[in-house]
Amino acid sequence: MEDAMRSFDTYTDLGGAGIGGALPPATGGMIALSPRVSAPGFTMDFGRNEEIYGQEEEADFVYRLVAGVVRTSRLLSDGRRQVVAFHYPGDVIGLEPGDVHTLSAEAVTECRVALVKRRSLERAAERDNGAARDLWALTARDLQSLGEHMMLLSRKGAAERVAVFLLQLAERTETDRLELPMSRSDIADYLGLTIESVSRSMTQLEREGAIALPSARRVMLRNRDALEDYAC
Amino acid sequence: MEDAMRSFDTYTDLGGAGIGGALPPATGGMIALSPRVSAPGFTMDFGRNEEIYGQEEEADFVYRLVAGVVRTSRLLSDGRRQVVAFHYPGDVIGLEPGDVHTLSAEAVTECRVALVKRRSLERAAERDNGAARDLWALTARDLQSLGEHMMLLSRKGAAERVAVFLLQLAERTETDRLELPMSRSDIADYLGLTIESVSRSMTQLEREGAIALPSARRVMLRNRDALEDYAC
DNA sequence: CGTGAGTTTGACCGAACTCAAATCATGTGG
DNA sequence: CCACATGATTTGAGTTCGGTCAAACTCACG
């Protein structure tokens, strides 16, 4: 049983202690955003649902996620929320064209991020041509992932979207036993659905044998083909 | 009457002749993609619904739209089409991260584009740091516009989406008398709706006095506030 | 004037939303 | 260790809005 539990463990490569109380204090040093871009910076820890940066805030920093899961989202005029992306260790977030964040970022799980001053990146890009190219590549990756997300949102059925979401997650973590770090509400806002629709879709996928749901936050992919049929 | 018609005219800054038969042949010379990026290239003309480049095609060229309107779109697995953006003169299209196009581009109206070899841009970016920054900015702009489009798609109501679409268009062309270059089908695929829903929304907006529809392709914004209420 | 593509309108249906209630999970204090 | 409180998730019933199918209409063009 212990083993089964362990195999769901993920998202923190900081060792068994977890992130939270008993961590070493924020550290300073050189932060690498990409192979060619590194700059002086420091790390910070955030608890669940804490805001890392806010929509409309000055974009003074760029962040590299060291451990944990982060969501970026945007508040719509009618009060609803659009979750734009979930980020995992290694991802760079907060790198935006303008000098004001168009998104906000919050910790889904407890997490640790490495901060780099935006200005020092700009200076690096002026000096070093390779660095400039890396920053471009990071923006290009965001563009691509946003495009894929839009594809997902333009799918018809609720179950389809949930199926694709689960497959995406399985690909990220390279396992069929998913530990969902995010709530139904996060998933719903990511997929453009309500929590009820997400829940019903999950149940439906389970009824059809595509997945198993040992608990709400735990999903096992039982029949990948069935899921991929939904993805069409 | 002649004047009224004229005031709907737009999208071509090539003069009265229009684009099509009686044009000078494709020309060569230096093409400017941005203030700091220009490279040798040539121009080409396309008729309505002609493909400029196709999804999955080698991305050998980058294009600057000189005259006319272009849509970029993506075919979904279930056969439907997602129109990603409408482009107007001055826009740069076809600049994508990878070396394969993830979108296709088609002429909505007859149009003329200036082509630049992708490789010559890459070379320019290696030499000139300002050029690299401009290319980054172009990608960043795409990212931003895609983000705004996603906001639009995540709106609830059909009429809301159509209202926002019309306001966007009015902003682009800086007039309240819109000549829609694109078909209802294009609009529907852009907004994630059916042509019937687009049509019904238009009619509804007209009934409520927000717009007038002298003809299907002609929209006059009668009550901007009412439209902005929809945009909320 | 006829033709055909594009657009509008109507009737019906179904999927997702809304509101409400039941259930489950988790942590707390006795 | 258990009872309880709280929040998250699931389930149910009814409604709404956009999709689907079909038919009428418009307009540009030959």
Side-chain angles (χ1 to χ4, degrees):
Chain A
M1 213 52 194
E2 175 66 24
D3 272 354
M5 302 297 255
R6 281 241 134 263
S7 70
F8 276 106
D9 234 19
T10 179
Y11 306 131
T12 68
D13 38 17
L14 282 187
I19 333 174
L23 267 183
T27 54
M30 288 301 279
I31 308 291
L33 288 190
S34 82
R36 286 154 131 174
V37 180
S38 60
F42 55 97
T43 64
M44 280 180 72
D45 297 331
F46 293 88
R48 292 182 165 239
N49 293 318
E50 266 192 88
E51 179 178 276
I52 298 171
Y53 58 82
Q55 202 170 338
E56 314 283 290
E57 246 177 39
E58 290 290 319
D60 292 332
F61 292 96
V62 174
Y63 310 78
R64 189 171 146 278
L65 185 50
V66 175
V69 179
V70 169
R71 65 171 176 263
T72 49
S73 63
R74 173 181 278 157
L75 280 144
L76 303 179
S77 38
D78 62 359
R80 285 171 325 154
R81 183 183 64 149
Q82 173 67 242
V83 171
V84 174
F86 294 108
H87 292 283
Y88 300 85
D91 287 1
V92 172
I93 60 181
L95 179 63
E96 299 183 37
D99 48 4
V100 168
H101 286 298
T102 61
L103 303 174
S104 70
E106 298 109 29
V108 171
T109 64
E110 292 179 339
C111 67
R112 168 171 290 178
V113 296
L115 288 75
V116 170
K117 263 204 139 45
R118 181 195 161 85
R119 293 206 52 67
S120 67
L121 287 183
E122 281 167 2
R123 247 175 282 130
E126 278 164 27
R127 277 195 314 272
D128 177 7
N129 223 310
R133 215 119 32 94
D134 278 358
L135 291 174
W136 183 15
L138 285 171
T139 300
R141 185 177 312 178
D142 284 349
L143 179 59
Q144 189 185 335
S145 100
L146 196 61
E148 276 165 26
H149 188 198
M150 217 177 63
M151 297 273 283
L152 178 48
L153 285 175
S154 65
R155 282 178 180 280
K156 257 198 304 262
E160 286 185 36
R161 297 189 197 179
V162 172
V164 175
F165 169 72
L166 292 174
L167 286 170
Q168 275 181 2
L169 217 54
E171 198 171 344
R172 272 263 193 188
T173 56
E174 291 176 336
T175 168
D176 283 358
R177 314 180 135 214
L178 307 177
E179 168 91 20
L180 303 184
M182 68 290 284
S183 68
R184 293 290 186 268
S185 170
D186 288 334
I187 300 173
D189 290 347
Y190 179 72
L191 296 178
L193 299 168
T194 58
I195 55 174
E196 292 96 331
S197 290
V198 171
S199 180
R200 277 187 249 271
S201 299
M202 292 274 201
T203 317
Q204 182 191 338
L205 292 175
E206 187 181 32
R207 264 201 316 270
E208 294 169 357
I211 62 173
L213 285 164
S215 83
R217 297 290 186 110
R218 221 159 262 173
V219 180
M220 294 169 65
L221 307 195
R222 281 242 167 275
N223 186 349
R224 222 169 235 273
D225 294 339
L227 282 178
E228 274 156 9
D229 282 350
Y230 275 102
C232 188
Chain B
M1 216 47 197
E2 175 66 25
D3 272 354
M5 301 297 257
R6 281 240 133 261
S7 70
F8 276 106
D9 234 18
T10 180
Y11 306 129
T12 69
D13 39 15
L14 282 186
I19 333 174
L23 269 181
T27 55
M30 286 304 277
I31 307 291
L33 287 191
S34 84
R36 286 155 130 173
V37 180
S38 59
F42 55 96
T43 64
M44 278 180 74
D45 298 330
F46 293 88
R48 292 183 165 237
N49 294 318
E50 266 191 87
E51 179 178 275
I52 298 170
Y53 57 83
Q55 204 169 336
E56 314 284 288
E57 247 177 40
E58 290 291 319
D60 292 332
F61 291 97
V62 175
Y63 309 78
R64 190 171 146 275
L65 185 51
V66 175
V69 179
V70 168
R71 66 172 176 261
T72 48
S73 63
R74 174 180 280 157
L75 280 144
L76 303 180
S77 39
D78 61 0
R80 285 172 331 165
R81 183 183 64 151
Q82 174 67 241
V83 170
V84 174
F86 293 109
H87 293 282
Y88 299 87
D91 287 0
V92 171
I93 60 180
L95 180 62
E96 298 182 41
D99 49 5
V100 168
H101 287 297
T102 61
L103 304 174
S104 69
E106 298 107 27
V108 171
T109 65
E110 292 179 340
C111 67
R112 168 171 292 178
V113 297
L115 288 76
V116 170
K117 261 204 139 49
R118 180 195 161 86
R119 291 205 54 68
S120 67
L121 287 183
E122 280 167 2
R123 248 175 281 130
E126 278 165 27
R127 275 196 314 271
D128 177 9
N129 223 311
R133 215 125 24 99
D134 278 359
L135 291 174
W136 182 15
L138 285 171
T139 300
R141 184 175 311 177
D142 284 349
L143 179 61
Q144 189 183 336
S145 100
L146 195 62
E148 278 165 25
H149 188 199
M150 216 178 63
M151 297 273 282
L152 178 48
L153 284 176
S154 65
R155 285 181 175 279
K156 256 197 305 258
E160 287 185 35
R161 296 189 196 180
V162 172
V164 174
F165 170 72
L166 292 174
L167 286 170
Q168 276 181 3
L169 217 54
E171 197 172 343
R172 273 262 193 187
T173 57
E174 291 175 338
T175 168
D176 284 357
R177 312 180 136 214
L178 307 178
E179 167 91 20
L180 303 184
M182 67 291 283
S183 68
R184 292 289 186 268
S185 171
D186 287 334
I187 300 173
D189 290 346
Y190 179 71
L191 296 177
L193 299 169
T194 58
I195 56 174
E196 292 96 330
S197 290
V198 172
S199 181
R200 277 187 251 271
S201 299
M202 293 273 199
T203 317
Q204 182 191 339
L205 292 174
E206 187 181 32
R207 266 202 314 272
E208 294 168 358
I211 62 173
L213 285 164
S215 81
R217 297 292 186 109
R218 219 160 263 174
V219 180
M220 295 170 65
L221 307 195
R222 280 240 167 277
N223 186 350
R224 222 170 236 273
D225 295 339
L227 282 179
E228 274 155 8
D229 282 350
Y230 274 103
C232 187

